[in-house]
Amino acid sequence: MSFATEVKNEISDLRLSKSENIAELSAFIRNNGHFSNNTILLYTENMMIAKRIYAIVKNIYGIHCHMTTRQNVAFNKNNVYYIEIKEKQDFILQDLSVVDENKNILDSPKEYIIGSEEEMKAYIRGTFLAKGSINDPKTSQYHLEFLFDKKYESVFVQRLLNHFNLNSKIILRDTKYMVYLKEAEKIGDFLKLIKAYKSVLYYEDVRVLREQKNITNRLNNCEQANTEKIIATCNNQLKDIEDIENIIGIGILDEKLQLVAEYRKKYPESSLIELSEIMSLETQTPITKSGLNHRFRKIREIAERLRERENK
């Protein structure tokens, strides 16, 4: 599996807000969509990306896409996953700011798609899923690129990237426009920006072996990535607890799970290790990090079943 695929798999598993999902979907369809015969056709060789796009369309627009799999016999023989949207096509394209009311392709999405920095990051993330590629840091050169058919989209994405001081550039390659990053530090910052925290850790670990002079920056990135990962985990756990409370009430949980939920709400930013130490001290009953993780996994399973039932 290539490093680019590992990065895309990681960010395909993120849980985001509705507005972030809309921005991500807008970017993916703008850069990957084919519109004909009242159908929006999307495709990817990555199964996790296909599942993510399918889920986002279903959750936001309440429709089921048609997904098929074919083998790409012309090139590397990988499977290609096709997603067909055959309902609400015009509404979806206008809602995602892909076309205007006259069905003309917009040069850039409207402001509400990328109105906040988190939505800008989500748009960049969706663009990377559709058009991005990144070299493994173990190779001879650092390189990250997006390859666009249209100049206006390349200019727009470059502007978004440089809003975050990534120093991206554009060149014309054959008939396509390539937006690229060459600086190792900026590529690490990009991975952090799209919330590929595991990939940040791997990338920086490899990079420091090649570039000892950047060790301080690597440690800062690793520390922030770990912190962001802890915060993301805590937020997901709090969301699961909140959904259970709102849908059916926390009383559905057994005493052990209720206790865990109570302590997570009481200490919302504590890591699992910190929370296990606090609970062990305050309850006088030892609980390990793995035991705590097991209970949160049960809470998440219950929350997912309840959400699935609510969405039917």
Side-chain angles (χ1 to χ4, degrees):
M1 184 186 298
S2 70
F3 180 58
T5 299
E6 290 179 358
V7 174
K8 291 183 178 183
N9 285 348
E10 180 181 356
I11 62 178
S12 291
D13 202 36
L14 291 173
R15 300 168 69 185
L16 305 172
S17 68
K18 182 178 180 180
S19 64
E20 289 174 291
N21 281 333
I22 287 174
E24 185 177 301
L25 183 61
S26 173
F28 193 86
I29 291 182
R30 282 177 61 85
N31 288 287
N32 186 282
H34 299 268
F35 322 127
S36 61
N37 299 323
N38 295 319
T39 298
I40 302 172
L41 177 64
L42 310 170
Y43 65 91
T44 176
E45 292 185 359
N46 188 306
M47 181 177 63
M48 289 193 67
I49 295 176
K51 288 182 176 180
R52 180 174 184 82
I53 297 302
Y54 182 98
I56 292 176
V57 172
K58 177 186 174 184
N59 291 336
I60 294 176
Y61 297 106
I63 64 174
H64 291 272
C65 306
H66 180 65
M67 186 183 297
T68 56
T69 306
R70 304 173 197 168
Q71 191 176 60
N72 188 352
V73 295
F75 297 100
N76 51 20
K77 297 186 179 181
N78 288 339
N79 286 334
V80 180
Y81 303 90
Y82 291 88
I83 304 167
E84 292 179 278
I85 303 173
K86 296 184 176 183
E87 302 176 51
K88 303 180 182 179
Q89 304 92 332
D90 292 343
F91 173 79
I92 290 172
L93 291 176
Q94 289 186 43
D95 190 54
L96 296 177
S97 198
V98 178
V99 302
D100 61 20
E101 58 275 9
N102 297 317
K103 300 184 180 181
N104 298 314
I105 300 293
L106 295 169
D107 287 352
S108 61
K110 295 180 180 178
E111 187 65 25
Y112 70 85
I113 295 291
I114 43 108
S116 70
E117 289 206 340
E118 288 306 310
E119 289 162 356
M120 291 181 190
K121 293 175 184 179
Y123 190 94
I124 292 170
R125 191 184 303 112
T127 306
F128 181 75
L129 290 175
K131 291 292 185 180
S133 179
I134 182 173
N135 283 4
D136 192 309
K138 290 181 179 179
T139 59
S140 59
Q141 60 179 335
Y142 300 110
H143 184 77
L144 182 149
E145 70 175 47
F146 301 83
L147 203 58
F148 299 101
D149 296 321
K150 304 297 183 182
K151 183 177 180 179
Y152 56 76
E153 186 68 14
S154 68
V155 172
F156 175 68
V157 171
Q158 183 198 32
R159 179 164 65 85
L160 288 183
L161 292 169
N162 291 348
H163 173 83
F164 296 102
N165 301 313
L166 294 180
N167 195 28
S168 64
K169 296 178 172 56
I170 300 178
I171 61 169
L172 179 63
R173 190 167 75 181
D174 297 327
T175 60
K176 296 183 181 293
Y177 298 88
M178 184 173 73
V179 178
Y180 67 94
L181 281 69
K182 284 286 190 182
E183 300 171 60
E185 181 179 344
K186 299 299 184 183
I187 295 174
D189 290 342
F190 172 86
L191 292 172
K192 185 169 60 180
L193 180 143
I194 63 171
K195 299 186 179 181
Y197 300 127
K198 291 180 182 178
S199 298
V200 171
L201 296 175
Y202 167 79
Y203 183 88
E204 295 295 348
D205 279 340
V206 173
R207 184 165 80 90
V208 74
L209 295 176
R210 297 178 59 190
E211 301 176 30
Q212 288 295 328
K213 64 181 181 179
N214 290 326
I215 190 169
T216 301
N217 186 65
R218 181 194 73 89
L219 292 174
N220 288 338
N221 276 345
C222 287
E223 181 179 353
Q224 185 168 349
N226 278 324
T227 300
E228 294 286 349
K229 185 179 177 183
I230 290 171
I231 291 173
T233 299
C234 293
N235 287 339
N236 288 338
Q237 292 165 354
L238 288 167
K239 179 66 166 56
D240 290 336
I241 294 167
E242 180 184 3
D243 285 348
I244 293 172
E245 289 179 327
N246 292 337
I247 295 172
I248 201 168
I250 206 70
I252 190 179
L253 303 178
D254 63 38
E255 291 183 3
K256 290 183 178 180
L257 297 186
Q258 286 189 47
L259 184 63
V260 165
E262 177 186 339
Y263 270 84
R264 170 49 74 205
K265 291 169 68 177
K266 187 176 178 181
Y267 301 97
E269 297 180 358
S270 296
S271 67
L272 285 181
I273 292 177
E274 293 168 342
L275 195 59
S276 67
E277 292 174 348
I278 292 171
M279 289 183 65
S280 298
L281 180 64
E282 293 188 5
T283 65
Q284 297 298 304
T285 302
I287 181 169
T288 63
K289 173 188 173 184
S290 60
L292 203 56
N293 189 49
H294 177 70
R295 294 186 191 181
F296 277 123
R297 216 167 30 241
K298 283 189 173 181
I299 289 174
R300 181 173 185 179
E301 289 171 359
I302 293 170
E304 287 178 340
R305 286 199 299 270
L306 291 173
R307 284 191 290 261
E308 183 176 349
R309 188 181 71 182
E310 285 288 295
N311 289 331
K312 286 183 179 178

